């Protein structure tokens, strides 16, 4: 096995010079650097990351906590992070909570014990216990998806997105618009999107019966079940706005199975611009968020924290794009 001492001897330099080249620290003449790099290339030498982390107190690993590992949102967000971290020599260690709020806290502690350099949490709630755990963390934490006071966060304008989508339905002549949301523990999806919908309906003088309001758990099945209950309402809806595409797909399936036409009888819209939403027929009208950008912004925030930069924004609010398709 080739060691750093072997590299130094073969390049005709000191062990310290080789270490400086590998770690990119301290002064090394260009001639000596070139000799060391040539030997490393010829021998295929790979520095020990473990030994390096002992010297620098860095592991070059960022822990990432996902609510679900198999969704479009998660994969696109992680891709955005990777685009930044790969350029600076960092790797990602993924964990998933499967939408279990307690696991968000458990994984924060687990990743700190694994000695990651920082943690990015795609959060699903703003529970005070979670906020306290983040603020007590021994490593920097950046949150994606929820705005937490005092914690660097990357968020979307969920309230404005929901208002715009509701306005679109009303512009298309829809008045009896149902809504499928999620538990309000999730402030962004459960509170902000619902508020945008209700405020827009009130602005246009449209009353919303309780029977038009459903709650799901982000899954396709929950969207189906909420829509099935809505179809039993005394006053029929002519449109349904699902807070996520997955629940929108469930509503879409339920409407079709009950013999209604989309969009002739009932229009269907969602938020998320999932891959599947493009390929159903009629395709789902949706709000597109730049999840890759959210991931890259979170990664850049993390690098600023690790580099000790003082001017780090408390939050970064990202815009959205309305994608109008055939379901309205």
């Amino acid at each position: 096995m080739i060691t750093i001492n072997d590299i130094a001897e073969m390049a005709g330099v000191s062990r310290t010079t080789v270490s400086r080249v590998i770690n990119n620290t301290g002064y090394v003449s260009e001639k000596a650097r070139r000799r060391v790099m040539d030997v490393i290339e010829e021998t295929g030498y790979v520095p020990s990351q473990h030994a390096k982390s002992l010297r620098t107190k860095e592991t070059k690993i960022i822990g990432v906590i996902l609510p679900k590992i198999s969704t479009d949102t998660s994969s696109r967000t992680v891709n955005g992070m990777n685009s930044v971290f790969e350029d600076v020599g960092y790797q990602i260690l993924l964990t998933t909570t499967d939408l279990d709020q307690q696991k968000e806290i458990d994984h924060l502690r687990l990743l700190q014990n694994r000695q990651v350099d920082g943690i990015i949490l795609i959060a699903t709630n703003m529970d005070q216990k979670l906020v306290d755990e983040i603020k007590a963390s021994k490593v920097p934490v950046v949150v994606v998806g929820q705005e937490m006071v005092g914690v660097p966060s990357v968020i979307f304008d969920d309230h404005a997105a929901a208002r715009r989508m509701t306005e679109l339905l009303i512009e298309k002549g829809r008045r009896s618009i149902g809504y499928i949301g999620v538990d309000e523990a999730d402030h962004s999806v459960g509170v902000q999107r619902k508020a945008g919908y209700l405020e827009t309906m009130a602005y246009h003088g449209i009353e919303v019966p309780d029977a038009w309001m459903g709650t799901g758990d982000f899954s396709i099945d929950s969207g189906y079940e909420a829509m099935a209950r809505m179809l039993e309402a005394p006053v029929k809806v002519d449109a349904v706005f699902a807070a996520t595409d997955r629940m929108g797909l469930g509503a879409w399936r339920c409407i079709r199975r009950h013999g209604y036409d989309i969009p002739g009888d009932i229009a269907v819209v969602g938020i998320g611009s999932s891959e599947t939403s493009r390929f159903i027929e009629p395709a789902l009208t949706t709000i597109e968020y730049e999840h890759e950008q959210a991931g890259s912004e979170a990664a850049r925030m993390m690098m600023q924290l690790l580099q000790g930069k003082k001017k780090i924004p408390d939050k970064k609010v990202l815009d959205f794009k309305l994608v109008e398709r055939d379901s309205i």
Side-chain angles (χ1 to χ4, degrees):
M1 181 179 294
I2 299 292
T3 68
I4 192 171
N5 290 327
D6 297 325
I7 299 297
E9 183 177 349
M10 295 168 71
V13 299
S14 68
R15 187 182 188 282
T16 300
T17 297
V18 177
S19 178
R20 287 178 176 176
V21 171
I22 292 171
N23 296 308
N24 197 28
T25 59
Y27 172 76
V28 178
S29 71
E30 188 56 36
K31 184 177 180 180
R33 182 182 299 276
R34 187 67 263 164
R35 288 207 305 270
V36 171
M37 292 305 298
D38 286 344
V39 171
I40 288 175
E41 186 175 345
E42 290 172 7
T43 60
Y45 172 71
V46 178
S48 167
Q49 184 61 44
H50 177 67
K52 184 178 178 181
S53 67
L54 291 175
R55 293 192 303 273
T56 64
K57 307 299 183 183
E58 295 179 342
T59 61
K60 294 288 186 179
I61 296 174
I62 303 297
V64 177
I65 304 174
L66 305 172
K68 284 276 189 181
I69 203 163
S70 58
T71 65
D72 290 338
T73 297
S74 292
S75 62
R76 290 166 60 189
T77 305
V78 171
N79 284 340
M81 294 178 199
N82 260 331
S83 69
V84 174
F85 287 137
E86 284 184 349
D87 288 344
V88 290
Y90 277 76
Q91 295 179 320
I92 289 175
L93 176 60
L94 296 177
T95 65
T96 180
T97 65
D98 200 27
L99 297 173
D100 184 329
Q101 293 183 12
Q102 179 57 42
K103 285 185 178 180
E104 291 186 330
I105 293 175
D106 294 342
H107 289 337
L108 279 167
R109 295 171 179 170
L110 171 67
L111 289 170
Q112 290 177 70
N113 289 335
R114 293 289 181 92
Q115 297 182 325
V116 297
D117 292 340
I119 299 171
I120 297 178
L121 166 65
I122 302 179
T124 61
N125 76 95
M126 295 173 57
D127 184 79
Q128 191 59 46
K129 290 182 180 178
L130 176 62
V131 176
D132 292 343
E133 191 71 30
I134 290 172
K135 291 184 176 180
S137 173
K138 296 178 290 186
V139 301
V141 178
V142 174
V143 172
V144 177
Q146 305 286 340
E147 181 180 351
M148 296 186 182
V149 178
V151 180
S153 306
V154 179
I155 60 174
F156 296 102
D157 197 343
D158 289 286
H159 186 269
R163 286 188 67 98
R164 182 66 191 95
M165 183 61 84
T166 310
E167 283 284 359
L168 176 65
L169 288 169
I170 293 171
E171 289 168 8
K172 296 292 184 180
R174 310 288 174 163
R175 303 283 294 182
S176 303
I177 304 169
Y179 182 81
I180 302 174
V182 299
D183 189 280
E184 294 189 4
D186 186 323
H187 188 75
S188 293
V189 181
V191 176
Q192 291 295 327
R193 297 183 190 180
K194 180 181 177 180
Y197 156 79
L198 289 173
E199 288 175 18
T200 308
M201 296 288 278
Y203 176 80
H204 288 275
I206 305 172
E207 293 187 10
V208 180
D210 290 342
W212 290 2
M213 300 291 292
T215 302
D217 61 6
F218 293 90
S219 68
I220 292 175
D221 286 344
S222 70
Y224 186 104
E225 293 164 5
M227 189 69 236
R229 290 189 291 270
M230 207 174 292
L231 291 175
E232 297 174 356
V235 179
K236 301 301 181 185
V237 297
D238 60 15
V240 61
F241 176 7
T244 72
D245 275 5
R246 286 177 65 80
M247 293 190 299
L249 292 170
W252 183 96
R253 181 184 296 171
C254 178
I255 292 166
R256 294 290 290 269
R257 286 190 175 177
H258 282 76
Y260 294 97
D261 179 69
I262 300 173
D265 298 316
I266 303 174
V268 186
V269 300
I271 291 181
S273 193
S274 66
E275 283 291 313
T276 307
S277 71
R278 291 192 296 150
F279 297 113
I280 59 174
E281 184 60 41
L284 188 69
T285 293
T286 185
I287 294 286
E288 181 177 344
Y289 286 153
E290 293 293 339
H291 295 292
E292 290 89 350
Q293 183 185 358
S296 61
E297 292 287 354
R300 278 190 280 270
M301 271 188 180
M302 178 58 67
M303 293 312 303
Q304 288 180 307
L305 289 168
L306 293 174
Q307 292 163 6
K309 294 186 177 179
K310 295 180 180 179
K311 293 185 178 180
I312 301 169
D314 289 336
K315 65 178 178 180
K316 176 77 173 181
V317 183
L318 302 182
D319 206 353
F320 60 89
K321 176 184 177 183
L322 179 64
V323 182
E324 187 174 337
R325 299 190 181 122
D326 298 332
S327 65
I328 58 170

